[in-house]
Amino acid sequence: MVELPKYRQVYEFLRRQIVEGAYPAGEALPSENALANAHGMTRPTVRKALSLLISDGFIVKRRGKGSIVKGAPKGIGILSITGTTSAVGRDNILTHIILKPERRRWTEAFSFPVSEEEREAGCIYFERLRVVEGTPVFLDVTMLPDVRLPHFTSYSLENRSLFNFLRVKYHIEVTGGTQQLFAIRADKRLQEHLQVKAGYPVLQLNRKIETTRAGFHIYSQVFCATRAYGLIGTF
Amino acid sequence: MVELPKYRQVYEFLRRQIVEGAYPAGEALPSENALANAHGMTRPTVRKALSLLISDGFIVKRRGKGSIVKGAPKGIGILSITGTTSAVGRDNILTHIILKPERRRWTEAFSFPVSEEEREAGCIYFERLRVVEGTPVFLDVTMLPDVRLPHFTSYSLENRSLFNFLRVKYHIEVTGGTQQLFAIRADKRLQEHLQVKAGYPVLQLNRKIETTRAGFHIYSQVFCATRAYGLIGTF
DNA sequence: CCTCATTTGTACGTATGTATC
DNA sequence: TGATACATACGTACAAATGAG
């Protein structure tokens, strides 16, 4: 088992501190030098951790002032790299398996081109519904190539983060991705699962997710009814 | 006038090279060491430039291989930090002023809270329509606080990037921001400007944009009909 | 299978500039 | 003015993945 790199450790540490409210919104984190001392590392390493917090939208930095904690945003941060599970408040999200992982042939990956190797490997396909505080919010369709994933289809993903699952079971780390956004009308299937009326506007997200394993991508399609929560993100 | 930092210069240089097709998709950029030598800087500086290209979705990196250029994605990259103008293909976008910049009182900034100073300063408000290849794609509503922006309302923003404008005229640099996404039905106003039918699903983007000037935010609301182009982004 | 050169990833240390208070 | 804090940039070292031989 490989240790997380130092900058990731501090990142995780600070992230937890912030969401737990150790630093109220508007307050500054300890200075970069202070953090470096406290964690036994140098300033460049701390800065790398902080830059992750910035791109996650947890802090902003002001020259001469410090790293100021942003208030917890209202909405669901699915636009960033964090998976759906950790994007919400986490405690109040339930995952319901609509279609268990099964092997398929690739047809297409949500308008993303599929490489030759991926096509040959075959496709693992499953559908999940995410329920936040009793109301269905996401319909999540996932496709990934069936290469070196022993016993994948026999595991249950009920209430489990796919990204964490891939990391601990198969050593696959998510590194980033591309996404495409559309506004569409709810069709019959979406009406049913997301509990909206016919023709209701729904967000559609097509994502191609890069990983540390070269050539291994996760293709994911998310449908989201934004009546209560908007999707939020930072840039 | 302050020079751009070195890492920004290389970033701009490589970015231009990529969009001009100097490195076809799938090819690797010169190695970090090579770039460092070529541009008279060290590897950390080059790496900073490359990390910008990654977050813009231009390249992916593979350990032991190099920085591989991604194919030009189809869609409009408005989700990232680049303004609307440079998000598109750039040559084929036209800006039509619907409402010229005028002073208003703040009511609300698209569901974002407005600070006391911003409220007191008053609000500059304007609306623009972006037309790509003959079809209207965005309706762009912008609000910004009227502080230390001499003669702003007297300039025309026709076919001009707001971000560039702020940089060269007022020394304000955009550093990032938060956005919120919804799928809505087109109302009367949107039907007219975006040329869609009643009830057509439209993407709504509320953005609060941070700048180098402390406490100065740009609030922007974008409506987008995603019939032809989806919005794309990386993470 | 092993070795080696190349390339990126992580982390160290140092120096100087610039904004804030 | 001085202290503090972040921004930029230098230089170095070793680890880990890749691909060629």
Side-chain angles (χ1 to χ4, degrees):
Chain A
M1 202 75 229
V2 189
E3 281 271 316
L4 279 180
K6 285 194 179 186
Y7 71 90
R8 272 288 298 271
Q9 292 178 32
V10 199
Y11 161 76
E12 302 289 350
F13 173 80
L14 291 173
R15 189 183 199 275
R16 180 188 310 261
Q17 294 244 299
I18 291 171
V19 300
E20 285 175 356
Y23 301 99
E27 289 288 294
L29 293 182
S31 77
E32 295 178 349
N33 279 320
L35 287 171
N37 285 330
H39 293 87
M41 55 186 64
T42 55
R43 203 155 79 92
T45 311
V46 169
R47 283 179 62 78
K48 187 148 190 183
L50 293 178
S51 74
L52 291 181
L53 289 172
I54 292 173
S55 59
D56 281 355
F58 284 106
I59 61 171
V60 294
K61 294 219 268 187
R62 287 288 161 202
R63 196 184 251 190
K65 293 186 77 171
S67 308
I68 290 104
V69 176
K70 285 215 264 186
K74 276 170 103 94
I76 298 177
I78 201 186
L79 296 177
S80 74
I81 198 178
T82 70
T84 320
T85 310
S86 70
V88 193
R90 186 165 41 180
D91 289 339
N92 40 19
I93 187 172
L94 281 178
T95 305
H96 178 64
I97 310 282
I98 294 179
L99 192 67
K100 280 198 282 195
E102 62 177 39
R103 284 216 39 168
R104 289 198 178 184
R105 241 178 265 156
W106 287 101
T107 50
E108 201 196 7
F110 314 132
S111 83
F112 293 108
V114 176
S115 77
E116 194 56 45
E117 301 106 276
E118 285 173 326
R119 176 160 292 131
E120 282 171 11
C123 161
I124 296 174
Y125 182 101
F126 55 96
E127 297 183 1
R128 294 176 294 172
L129 185 71
R130 310 308 189 99
V131 181
V132 179
E133 284 168 6
T135 50
V137 177
F138 302 124
L139 176 63
D140 216 289
V141 182
T142 309
M143 299 166 79
L144 38 89
D146 188 13
V147 281
R148 289 187 286 153
L149 298 177
H151 312 109
F152 186 95
T153 51
S154 66
Y155 293 118
S156 166
L157 288 166
E158 195 89 34
N159 289 329
R160 197 178 238 167
S161 154
L162 173 64
F163 291 176
N164 266 324
F165 183 71
L166 288 174
R167 195 179 76 240
V168 304
K169 281 279 178 202
Y170 304 108
H171 242 262
I172 298 174
E173 200 89 43
V174 168
T175 56
T178 312
Q179 57 196 347
Q180 208 162 354
L181 262 150
F182 302 90
I184 61 165
R185 280 184 222 266
D187 61 8
K188 203 111 192 227
R189 173 159 152 265
L190 290 176
Q191 281 170 49
E192 191 185 314
H193 286 126
L194 296 177
Q195 293 176 16
V196 294
K197 289 193 188 141
Y200 194 90
V202 168
L203 262 179
Q204 175 187 335
L205 243 139
N206 296 343
R207 328 177 82 183
K208 175 179 180 176
I209 297 167
E210 311 269 348
T211 69
T212 45
R213 188 185 281 184
F216 183 91
H217 303 107
I218 304 166
Y219 300 93
S220 144
Q221 190 171 50
V222 181
F223 298 96
C224 177
T226 55
R227 21 168 201 224
Y229 313 92
L231 298 192
I232 59 160
T234 55
F235 53 97
Chain B
M1 202 75 231
V2 187
E3 281 270 316
L4 278 180
K6 285 193 180 185
Y7 72 90
R8 273 288 299 269
Q9 292 178 32
V10 199
Y11 161 76
E12 303 288 353
F13 174 79
L14 291 172
R15 189 183 199 276
R16 181 187 309 260
Q17 294 245 299
I18 291 172
V19 300
E20 284 175 356
Y23 303 98
E27 289 286 297
L29 293 181
S31 77
E32 296 177 349
N33 279 319
L35 288 171
N37 285 330
H39 294 87
M41 55 186 66
T42 54
R43 198 153 78 92
T45 310
V46 170
R47 283 179 63 78
K48 184 144 191 184
L50 293 178
S51 74
L52 292 180
L53 290 172
I54 293 174
S55 59
D56 281 355
F58 284 108
I59 61 172
V60 293
K61 295 220 271 186
R62 287 287 161 202
R63 192 186 249 186
K65 294 186 76 171
S67 308
I68 291 105
V69 176
K70 286 216 265 185
K74 278 173 105 90
I76 298 177
I78 201 188
L79 296 176
S80 72
I81 199 175
T82 69
T84 320
T85 309
S86 69
V88 193
R90 180 169 48 181
D91 289 338
N92 40 20
I93 187 172
L94 282 177
T95 305
H96 178 65
I97 309 281
I98 294 180
L99 193 67
K100 280 199 281 197
E102 61 177 38
R103 284 215 41 170
R104 288 198 179 185
R105 244 181 262 160
W106 287 101
T107 49
E108 199 197 10
F110 314 132
S111 81
F112 293 107
V114 176
S115 76
E116 194 56 43
E117 301 105 278
E118 285 173 327
R119 174 160 294 130
E120 282 172 11
C123 161
I124 296 173
Y125 181 102
F126 55 98
E127 297 183 1
R128 295 176 294 171
L129 185 70
R130 310 307 189 100
V131 181
V132 179
E133 284 167 7
T135 50
V137 177
F138 302 123
L139 176 62
D140 217 288
V141 183
T142 309
M143 298 165 81
L144 37 87
D146 187 13
V147 281
R148 289 187 286 154
L149 298 177
H151 312 110
F152 186 95
T153 52
S154 66
Y155 292 119
S156 165
L157 289 165
E158 195 90 34
N159 290 329
R160 197 177 238 170
S161 154
L162 173 63
F163 291 176
N164 266 323
F165 182 72
L166 288 174
R167 194 179 76 239
V168 304
K169 281 281 177 200
Y170 304 108
H171 243 264
I172 297 175
E173 199 90 41
V174 169
T175 56
T178 312
Q179 57 197 347
Q180 208 162 356
L181 264 148
F182 302 90
I184 60 164
R185 282 183 218 266
D187 61 9
K188 202 109 190 225
R189 172 158 153 265
L190 291 176
Q191 283 170 47
E192 189 186 316
H193 286 126
L194 296 178
Q195 292 174 15
V196 293
K197 289 192 188 139
Y200 193 89
V202 169
L203 263 178
Q204 176 187 336
L205 243 141
N206 297 343
R207 328 177 82 183
K208 175 180 179 174
I209 297 166
E210 310 268 348
T211 69
T212 44
R213 188 185 282 184
F216 183 90
H217 304 107
I218 304 165
Y219 300 93
S220 145
Q221 189 170 50
V222 181
F223 297 96
C224 176
T226 55
R227 16 163 209 231
Y229 313 93
L231 299 190
I232 59 161
T234 56
F235 54 99

